[in-house]
Amino acid sequence: MAQRDSGATRARLRGIKMAIETRLVTVFGGSGFVGRYIVRALAARGYRVRVALRRPHTAPDLKVMGRVGQIQLMQANLRFKASIEQAVDGADAVVNCVGLLFESGAQNFKSLHVQGARSIAEAAKAAGITNAVHISAIGADEDSGSDYARTKALGEAAVRGALPGAAILRPSIIFGPEDEFFNKFAKMAQMSPALPLIGGGRTLFQPVYAEDVAKAVTRIITAGSAGQTYELGGPGTYTFKELLAYVLNVIDKKRILVPLPWPVAMAMGFAGELSGALPVITPFLTRDQVTNLKTDNIVGEQAQGFDALGIQPEALEAIVPTYLERYRKYGQFHERLEDIKEN
């Protein structure tokens, strides 16, 4: 009897595996920071993945994240609906992880966060796709003074209007080897004697590992989205000041943490926007980012999170040092003076 049960279980698991391997997931924004983790996670789970990109020729490395032919690159631009419709044609599920941290020309918050999100949802609906995941952000609020947060909320509403069953994920600040937070301040500490505590450094964050966000997407796609909203934050909550102090501790550098009042930060943001007008320069800070920093970036008390998905998120202390070590004086061979004394 036990052998028959074991055989039946193996057969059922083989059937599930084969069913997954015939399913196609279209991922918009798959060449971005979080998108790459999502593509890799879906491929590892066995899905066929179609990555919709504005410039497919810039991301050939995505193809090697899966078996030969498992990952397909397709040209698509969220400002052109025909290309979106082609990208979702024949797909079983859709993931939208397109997002901007700052605006640049035609790549602005409204066109991508709102109109682009709406176009993807409408194209999915027309194609008969109900299984969808939309990546938003904690702090999304239609009444926010931040254009980023407001358009994120409007994008959520647009998606739900077309696809009520879509799952919406709102991550806190996302970390990983390619992140734009810990790397940014570690680089700054290489050249500057001080780091800025914007608004005094009291804003709260709940950093979440990119791989955990990707894991959440994969689990939702596998189970089928059901119109739920999840706020994703890691196991720890930190002030902005604590995070900068942690970066300095990891890379073993002593730098002054200088409180930066909101008006001064706004002036810096304006200067950042002027520099960001040049196509080759990424602004360090914008006024909209300063406005966004006035609101804590943590999971709400009543919000569903990783627990509802059966995921135990990684702590930043387990991951961040593995990729910030390159900012130490001697890289991976660097030893702290206090550690040497203890030995």
Side-chain angles (χ1 to χ4, degrees):
M1 177 66 74
Q3 289 182 341
R4 286 200 299 270
D5 289 345
S6 178
T9 299
R10 285 197 298 271
R12 180 173 60 84
L13 291 176
R14 281 197 300 272
I16 293 173
K17 183 174 183 291
M18 291 176 63
I20 286 177
E21 289 179 344
T22 62
R23 296 174 65 187
L24 172 65
V25 182
T26 296
V27 180
F28 290 89
S31 64
F33 169 37
V34 180
R36 290 176 177 272
Y37 284 84
I38 293 172
V39 169
R40 186 184 298 116
L42 288 168
R45 189 72 175 83
Y47 289 99
R48 292 186 298 125
V49 184
R50 178 185 293 158
V51 187
L53 308 166
R54 279 196 305 147
R55 302 185 181 94
H57 65 279
T58 64
D61 56 305
L62 290 173
K63 289 188 174 183
V64 301
M65 292 182 178
R67 302 184 308 275
V68 175
Q70 185 182 11
I71 297 173
Q72 169 195 7
L73 306 186
M74 175 179 281
Q75 198 284 327
N77 189 320
L78 297 195
R79 290 181 286 124
F80 299 97
K81 292 185 179 181
S83 67
I84 298 173
E85 291 166 356
Q86 291 177 343
V88 302
D89 183 40
D92 299 285
V94 171
V95 178
N96 177 22
C97 50
V98 175
L100 291 177
L101 293 178
F102 62 91
E103 298 179 304
S104 178
Q107 299 296 103
N108 58 68
F109 295 143
K110 184 178 179 181
S111 66
L112 297 187
H113 291 174
V114 186
Q115 296 170 349
R118 178 183 292 110
S119 295
I120 291 172
E122 289 176 348
K125 179 181 180 180
I129 300 169
T130 58
N131 194 6
V133 176
H134 175 74
I135 309 294
S136 183
I138 282 182
D141 181 0
E142 292 188 22
D143 296 321
S144 174
S146 160
D147 290 339
Y148 172 87
R150 185 173 63 257
T151 54
K152 279 291 188 180
L154 292 172
E156 290 183 8
V159 169
R160 279 282 162 74
L163 287 176
I168 291 175
L169 302 187
R170 294 175 175 171
S172 182
I173 184 171
I174 302 175
F175 66 87
E178 312 86 355
D179 70 49
E180 290 292 329
F181 184 87
F182 292 103
N183 282 295
K184 174 188 288 187
F185 288 104
K187 288 177 184 176
M188 181 181 290
Q190 300 285 85
M191 303 175 288
S192 173
L195 296 182
L197 292 177
I198 300 170
R202 292 182 290 272
T203 306
L204 294 174
F205 294 90
Q206 202 168 342
V208 58
Y209 186 29
E211 195 166 298
D212 290 328
V213 176
K215 190 181 296 184
V217 171
T218 304
R219 293 203 177 180
I220 292 169
I221 290 295
T222 301
S225 60
Q228 300 295 309
T229 296
Y230 302 89
E231 294 196 353
L232 306 181
T237 299
Y238 313 81
T239 64
F240 185 58
K241 180 178 181 179
E242 289 171 336
L243 290 177
L244 293 196
Y246 178 71
V247 169
L248 293 175
N249 181 60
V250 169
I251 65 177
D252 195 23
K253 293 190 182 298
K254 297 186 183 300
R255 298 290 185 264
I256 302 170
L257 296 179
V258 180
L260 207 64
W262 294 117
V264 177
M266 277 292 189
M268 283 186 61
F270 179 65
E273 291 167 24
L274 293 178
S275 66
L278 300 174
V280 295
I281 296 180
T282 298
F284 167 72
L285 189 67
T286 68
R287 286 174 292 178
D288 194 72
Q289 289 171 344
V290 173
T291 300
N292 211 25
L293 282 170
K294 293 180 180 180
T295 303
D296 290 337
N297 200 264
I298 58 177
V299 174
E301 292 183 6
Q302 304 301 320
Q304 290 189 107
F306 281 118
D307 287 347
L309 296 169
I311 297 171
Q312 179 61 47
E314 290 280 2
L316 67 87
E317 291 84 358
I319 306 296
V320 172
T322 65
Y323 62 88
L324 287 193
E325 66 180 13
R326 63 182 181 269
Y327 298 104
R328 298 169 183 164
K329 186 174 182 180
Y330 301 109
Q332 62 180 315
F333 303 106
H334 183 87
E335 292 186 84
R336 297 172 185 273
L337 182 60
E338 56 265 33
D339 293 339
I340 296 174
K341 289 181 179 178
E342 288 179 3
N343 294 328

